[in-house]
Amino acid sequence: MDKDEDLLLKTTIYKDPSHKNGILMRPFYWFRMLSNELHWSFVISVMIIYGINQGLSLGLSRISTQYYMKDEQKLQPSEAQIYMGVIAIPWIIKPFWGLLTDIVPIVGYRRRPYFILAGLIGVTSMLVLSLQNNVQLALALLLLMAGSAGAAVGDVTIDACVTENSIAHPTLAGDMQSLCGVSSSVGQLLGYIMSGFLVHHIGPKGVFGVMSIASCLVITVGLMLREDLTRNLDYRRVNQKFLDAGKATWMALKCPDVWRPCLYIFLSLAVSLHIHEGMFYWYTDAKSGPSFSQELVGSISSVGAIGSLCGVLLYQNIFKKYPFRNVLFWTQLLFGASGMLDLILVFRMNLRFGIPDYAVAVCDAAITHMIGRLKWMPLLVLTSKLCPSGIEGTFFALVMSIDHIGILASSWGGGFLLHTLNVTRTEFDNLWIAIVIRSLGRVLPIGFLFLVPNIDSNSTVLPAEMLQPRKDDDDKLKHDNLEMGSLINSFDQNLADE
């Protein structure tokens, strides 16, 4: 029996529900199997980065930042909407962080120093933001962007580690993605549940202080992760590697089979204007709105996270066999219709039938996030099919950056819309108009569906010559580029931004 067959047998035993150890012990044996085969430091690192630094912190930061913008900085909804987009800018240059971790080792290590750097950036920015009083808006935005940059660097680095291990242990690739997905989903759900409670009791600045603990754990990952030392590195080749990756990416973008779907992905996000901050200010307003408490706002977001998970299950079990165009047509149409649910709340129609505001808000969050994830899943699968051989990871990260640019455009467009309609901290008379325009914008991408190939998830998109393996002098670079192609993390981040 060779090594792969032995590993496959172990994996089957740990997953077999009829195994003598029983269902309740299966997760523990599964974790032990992964720790034995991949080293315990890697398994713990995935759980820390995906589960705590990304999942838990993502849930905490979303609500705390909204309250910080509203209560500490006293911003108008339109200003907060624009600045929320600014904070996410470090995610736009994600391919740059990925290339750095791939081809620029520090003191002989390609991963560990970047974890330490990401943790130090996160700890410093969050502690300064939580401990300083009367922080100027410009400095606050810079610190929040720094925290976002720390999360992005840690994200790309753990993506690289996961894919590197997937290449070395192909029979465990699915198990690693399951570990990433479970850690991120559970962490994010816990973060949203805890966020409202923590904001209520220690304030948004206190929550930033709590988030610094997660960044400290990222530093711990950099110190404990097992990694081989890279010796005799020729730093003179670094510039050439950057140029080679750039040329290959540009050649791919010139192909119509590539740039047309990329254009659709950007347009579908850019025209779906975000007015989250306008709705958030209305949610918490005591005069015009329902005056939801911090705990209720956090719980609404947690229900939205559950709705997103339901969307994944629906796509995987039902919709993934249908052509991309069909799925996108109906999901975009339903996405626009779901946006109109906000009108029930704003016009207070639910109160006429004795339905509490919170019940409508929870249903709205669950339905909207479920449809939003159903809409995003085929785009994610399509993105993975647009990546030419040899630059898969780099190109996937580039398309994710295009997504973030589209989200940034929708955030800024939504801020401009709220400003134009004079939706302020206390004036919400025209909020319903913003909701209608936003909902119509969600339907507009249907007119761009001709840019999407009319195929299903089992078909190929790229020409045959772009699917052939590249014969590079440095074969390691190809594998390094693959390391940035982890789907789970980019997926969760884009869903959080939407």
Side-chain angles (χ1 to χ4, degrees):
M1 181 182 297
D2 60 24
K3 184 178 179 181
D4 288 341
E5 290 176 344
D6 180 59
L7 181 56
L8 182 60
L9 177 60
K10 291 179 181 179
T11 306
T12 303
I13 291 174
Y14 291 133
K15 291 180 178 179
D16 185 3
S18 65
H19 189 251
K20 63 181 180 180
N21 293 295
I23 281 183
L24 293 179
M25 295 301 295
R26 282 168 56 200
F28 298 99
Y29 284 98
W30 183 62
F31 279 112
R32 191 176 74 176
M33 180 269 295
L34 290 178
S35 298
N36 290 338
E37 299 297 332
L38 304 172
H39 199 261
W40 63 267
S41 64
F42 169 74
V43 176
I44 297 298
S45 297
V46 169
M47 295 174 68
I48 289 176
I49 301 298
Y50 279 101
I52 299 177
N53 188 60
Q54 180 182 315
L56 186 67
S57 293
L58 181 64
L60 292 176
S61 65
R62 182 69 182 180
I63 305 300
S64 59
T65 304
Q66 286 182 314
Y67 275 101
Y68 180 76
M69 294 289 189
K70 177 177 179 287
D71 298 333
E72 298 288 338
Q73 293 295 337
K74 307 297 182 182
L75 297 178
Q76 298 292 345
S78 57
E79 296 173 319
Q81 186 68 64
I82 290 175
Y83 292 141
M84 291 294 279
V86 172
I87 294 170
I89 285 179
W91 290 88
I92 293 177
I93 55 175
K94 184 179 176 181
F96 176 72
W97 308 129
L99 285 172
L100 283 180
T101 65
D102 282 343
I103 63 180
V104 186
I106 301 176
V107 296
Y109 291 102
R110 300 166 60 242
R111 311 302 180 199
R112 295 174 62 182
Y114 287 98
F115 282 125
I116 296 174
L117 176 63
L120 288 175
I121 293 174
V123 168
T124 303
S125 58
M126 292 299 100
L127 283 181
V128 171
L129 197 58
S130 64
L131 296 177
Q132 291 292 324
N133 295 321
N134 301 320
V135 179
Q136 295 295 320
L137 177 60
L139 178 59
L141 288 175
L142 183 62
L143 292 171
L144 289 170
M145 286 182 64
S148 181
V153 173
D155 159 40
V156 169
T157 310
I158 197 62
D159 285 352
C161 295
V162 169
T163 313
E164 190 173 51
N165 276 284
S166 297
I167 294 172
H169 304 84
T171 57
L172 290 177
D175 293 271
M176 280 183 267
Q177 291 297 338
S178 297
L179 178 64
C180 297
V182 169
S183 300
S184 179
S185 298
V186 172
Q188 188 174 343
L189 183 59
L190 290 176
Y192 279 125
I193 292 174
M194 295 169 54
S195 59
F197 176 82
L198 290 176
V199 169
H200 176 74
H201 289 280
I202 63 177
K205 293 175 62 177
V207 177
F208 293 143
V210 172
M211 290 169 57
S212 67
I213 299 176
S215 297
C216 288
L217 293 176
V218 178
I219 298 176
T220 304
V221 169
L223 296 174
M224 74 175 182
L225 183 67
R226 187 179 69 171
E227 181 183 7
D228 295 331
L229 183 67
T230 302
R231 301 183 184 276
N232 302 321
L233 176 71
D234 186 2
Y235 281 95
R236 291 172 298 181
R237 294 198 61 194
V238 169
N239 289 337
Q240 186 60 44
K241 289 181 179 181
F242 271 108
L243 290 175
D244 290 343
K247 290 178 181 178
T249 301
W250 175 243
M251 290 296 295
L253 282 174
K254 291 195 298 183
C255 175
D257 292 324
V258 175
W259 68 257
R260 287 164 61 91
C262 288
L263 178 60
Y264 174 83
I265 292 172
F266 168 78
L267 291 174
S268 68
L269 294 170
V271 300
S272 302
L273 301 182
H274 290 184
I275 58 169
H276 294 152
E277 304 313 308
M279 290 302 302
F280 169 72
Y281 278 60
W282 183 82
Y283 274 166
T284 56
D285 187 73
K287 181 180 178 181
S288 301
S291 188
F292 288 149
S293 65
Q294 291 94 335
E295 290 89 344
L296 290 182
V297 172
S299 64
I300 292 171
S301 297
S302 64
V303 172
I306 296 174
S308 294
L309 293 177
C310 293
V312 173
L313 295 175
L314 285 173
Y315 182 80
Q316 290 295 332
N317 291 284
I318 299 176
F319 295 103
K320 70 177 182 180
K321 62 183 179 181
Y322 293 100
F324 292 130
R325 284 188 187 177
N326 291 2
V327 177
L328 290 172
F329 174 85
W330 289 107
T331 52
Q332 289 288 170
L333 194 63
L334 291 174
F335 196 47
S338 67
M340 303 296 283
L341 293 175
D342 288 328
L343 291 178
I344 297 176
L345 277 171
V346 172
F347 286 141
R348 316 313 297 272
M349 290 186 289
N350 55 293
L351 298 181
R352 301 174 187 173
F353 299 95
I355 303 174
D357 291 323
Y358 180 72
V360 178
V362 165
C363 292
D364 183 9
I367 294 173
T368 301
H369 281 77
M370 181 183 68
I371 297 174
R373 179 154 288 199
L374 276 172
K375 176 182 73 74
W376 176 243
M377 284 296 290
L379 293 179
L380 184 68
V381 176
L382 178 59
T383 298
S384 68
K385 292 179 174 294
L386 297 178
C387 303
S389 178
I391 56 169
E392 294 93 336
T394 300
F395 200 84
F396 184 87
L398 174 64
V399 179
M400 290 297 100
S401 296
I402 294 174
D403 296 345
H404 282 288
I405 294 174
I407 293 171
L408 179 65
S410 68
S411 184
W412 285 359
F416 178 77
L417 177 64
L418 292 173
H419 176 75
T420 302
L421 296 175
N422 195 35
V423 177
T424 67
R425 297 171 58 89
T426 56
E427 294 293 332
F428 302 96
D429 292 342
N430 293 328
L431 181 59
W432 71 273
I433 301 178
I435 293 172
V436 172
I437 295 175
R438 184 273 313 270
S439 300
L440 293 176
R442 290 179 174 181
V443 180
L444 283 180
I446 292 177
F448 308 130
L449 280 176
F450 67 91
L451 297 171
V452 178
N454 193 25
I455 60 173
D456 58 29
S457 59
N458 295 319
S459 305
T460 58
V461 178
L462 299 178
E465 61 270 17
M466 297 182 69
L467 296 174
Q468 297 299 320
R470 290 157 47 94
K471 302 298 183 181
D472 294 322
D473 293 334
D474 187 0
D475 196 52
K476 180 67 176 174
L477 176 60
K478 176 180 175 180
H479 293 301
D480 290 342
N481 283 332
L482 276 167
E483 293 168 6
M484 297 196 309
S486 174
L487 304 184
I488 296 294
N489 188 32
S490 299
F491 172 70
D492 285 340
Q493 178 62 30
N494 279 277
L495 259 294
D497 289 337
E498 284 203 4

